[in-house]
Amino acid sequence: MFTKRDLLRSTAAIAALAVATAKYSPAIAQNKADWPRLLEAKDIAEEGFIYGLPLVMYYAVMQEFAVDRNSGQFKAPFNEIKSLHHVATPEDTAVITPNSDTPYSFIWLDLRAEPMVISVPMIEKDRYYAVQLIDGNTYNFGYIGTRATGTEPGDYLVVGPDWKGENPPGIKKVFRSTTPFPLALIRTQLFNPGDISNVEKVQAGYKAKPLSAFLKQPAPPAAPKIEFLPATTAGIKDNFFQYLDAALQFVPETARDKTIRAKLARIGIGPGKTFEFKDLSLEHKAEILVGMKQGDNKVDKWLAGGNKNINGWNVGSFFGDEAFYNGDWVMRAGSAKGGLLGNDAVEAMYPYTRTDATGDLLDGSKHKYTITFPPGQLPPVNAFWSVTMYDGKSQLLVKNPINRYLINSPMLSAMKKDADGSLTLYIQKDSPGADKEANWLPAPADRIYLVMRLYWPKPAPPSILPPGQGTWQPPGIKRV
């Protein structure tokens, strides 16, 4: 879930981005006849931006989490587990719209030498957990967890795109990644602050080991060391094509992306290629910049209208596997920009909004707001639900005097209901008063971005499923 929401908002930023792509080779300049004509170059830049945005975002996060130990966001090297014994706070800035419901565990996998085995412990039936498997294409290629596999212990195999082995004994299921460096992102439900010691015990049971170690066999030769191109999420806007060159080395071509990859190669983008900007004509430079800006605008347009508007909330299905996207690069880019590393709809639904029920932008510096769930109409889930506050510009969590970044269903017992049995949440920058503070979700003195999360939504009515067509609908936000 990556760059800031205002990524590439100005032509000047895009110009800086392209000029800063620093892998130059005179070969392209020497053969200008091979370059596409102006309008075609613009179209390639537009398509390339849309196709490449999720890959670049994923690559940059991988760098910060698993490669650069000095990034400030580093978690653990490849094939080692890092469990966080706290939920996300405003200090967590690598991923936009971070979930603050469940402490995370991370295993960034390197599958080049051999597959990896992920083992999970027995988990109590009322505690939700999920191991989400995401590859460098930002495809969710598998799940382990309460919904997908139950709460029994088990060993699961994650293999790379070229693995041709048999299902080993003792392995419950095999998951195949389309890229060699997938992420196993683990969420473990936290019931309340005092429950963190129990979460830590569960996290201690998550294990990852190479297949050879699991089978007690000799290990194969280690994969060669890679000198990854340094990258940061903050640097995407200045180094987009340079990062895309690096990312595409680790994203094998498929039938779905063969056409766009061939187009990108024509302007020197791809494995073993270089993007040569400085030697282009002024006309080509201008068209490429325009194309990238148009691509970014298309992604924003999809984010604004790609889902169904229900009471001011955008409701739809954002994330999935390769077949789910089926080559729809605009949807994939919009999903990444809206919240990279999100779940499939059956695992979690994410209604989100920047507006109240009338369509006016939410702004904590100007107004106070309420969300009211009528009696018996709380979000229908098998696990739990939450409403999380984000800064409307950065899409990061908001610092506030009570360190409350969300309201979720485990907090219900401490909250006050209205006289008719409904539940009202108070969305504002200042306390609504001691008698209402249990229901207060602090807002910034600025633009607001709200995300509702429904973990393991109930499939039978009332339900938010199918996405955008369900019988349950999120209530609109009202201005006080």
Side-chain angles (χ1 to χ4, degrees), residues 145-360:
T146 307
R147 177 197 62 82
T149 58
T151 56
E152 298 294 319
D155 303 304
Y156 300 86
L157 190 67
V158 184
V159 306
D162 300 324
W163 188 73
K164 296 180 173 61
E166 298 295 326
N167 189 349
I171 294 295
K172 284 193 168 186
K173 190 172 182 178
V174 177
F175 299 96
R176 184 177 296 273
S177 170
T178 67
T179 66
F181 299 110
L183 168 66
L185 184 59
I186 308 176
R187 298 171 174 89
T188 308
Q189 184 178 2
L190 176 72
F191 295 128
N192 54 61
D195 184 47
I196 191 65
S197 61
N198 297 317
V199 169
E200 290 179 19
K201 292 175 184 176
V202 173
Q203 291 175 324
Y206 300 137
K207 306 292 183 183
K209 64 176 62 175
L211 178 59
S212 59
F214 177 79
L215 297 176
K216 297 180 172 59
Q217 297 176 351
K225 184 179 179 181
I226 295 175
E227 293 297 332
F228 289 99
L229 177 77
T232 66
T233 55
I236 288 175
K237 67 178 182 293
D238 296 321
N239 305 280
F240 184 85
F241 279 138
Q242 187 180 6
Y243 287 6
L244 184 56
D245 265 344
L248 287 175
Q249 297 178 60
F250 313 113
V251 179
E253 184 176 286
T254 68
R256 284 186 169 91
D257 64 9
K258 185 176 182 179
T259 300
I260 180 59
R261 296 280 285 260
K263 291 180 180 179
L264 285 169
R266 293 192 64 198
I267 58 172
I269 299 168
K273 305 289 185 181
T274 55
F275 177 70
E276 181 65 271
F277 187 82
K278 66 181 179 60
D279 287 342
L280 299 181
S281 68
L282 290 175
E283 293 84 357
H284 267 104
K285 288 179 180 177
E287 291 300 327
I288 285 177
L289 299 180
V290 169
M292 293 175 67
K293 179 62 176 175
Q294 288 179 347
D296 192 46
N297 289 342
K298 279 190 176 180
V299 174
D300 283 343
K301 184 178 181 181
W302 185 90
L303 268 174
N307 294 284
K308 189 171 182 180
N309 185 305
I310 299 177
N311 299 326
W313 296 85
N314 289 278
V315 181
S317 184
F318 256 36
F319 308 99
D321 59 12
E322 183 176 8
F324 170 82
Y325 290 113
N326 194 28
D328 188 336
W329 309 130
V330 175
M331 178 168 69
R332 188 179 69 165
S335 300
K337 193 170 182 180
L340 193 66
L341 310 181
N343 280 297
D344 291 8
V346 293
E347 195 70 45
M349 281 290 294
Y350 303 97
Y352 66 93
T353 186
R354 297 176 182 277
T355 68
D356 62 21
T358 68
D360 291 336

Side-chain angles (χ1 to χ4, degrees), residues 1-2 58 61 65 75 81-84 95 97-99 102-109 118 120 128-135 140-145 158 182-188 206 339-343 347 350 455:
M1 309 161 241
F2 248 159
Y58 182 93
V61 176
F65 279 26
K75 302 298 185 285
I81 295 179
K82 172 64 176 181
S83 291
L84 304 182
V95 181
T97 59
N99 150 21
T102 59
Y104 282 112
S105 300
F106 303 85
I107 318 170
W108 223 294
L109 304 174
I118 295 178
V120 296
Y128 170 85
Y129 90 104
V131 183
Q132 177 191 2
L133 300 172
I134 315 128
D135 60 32
N140 293 335
F141 64 94
Y143 278 94
I144 305 162
V158 184
L183 168 66
L185 184 59
I186 308 176
R187 298 171 174 89
T188 308
Y206 300 137
L340 193 66
L341 310 181
N343 280 297
E347 195 70 45
Y350 303 97
Y455 285 95

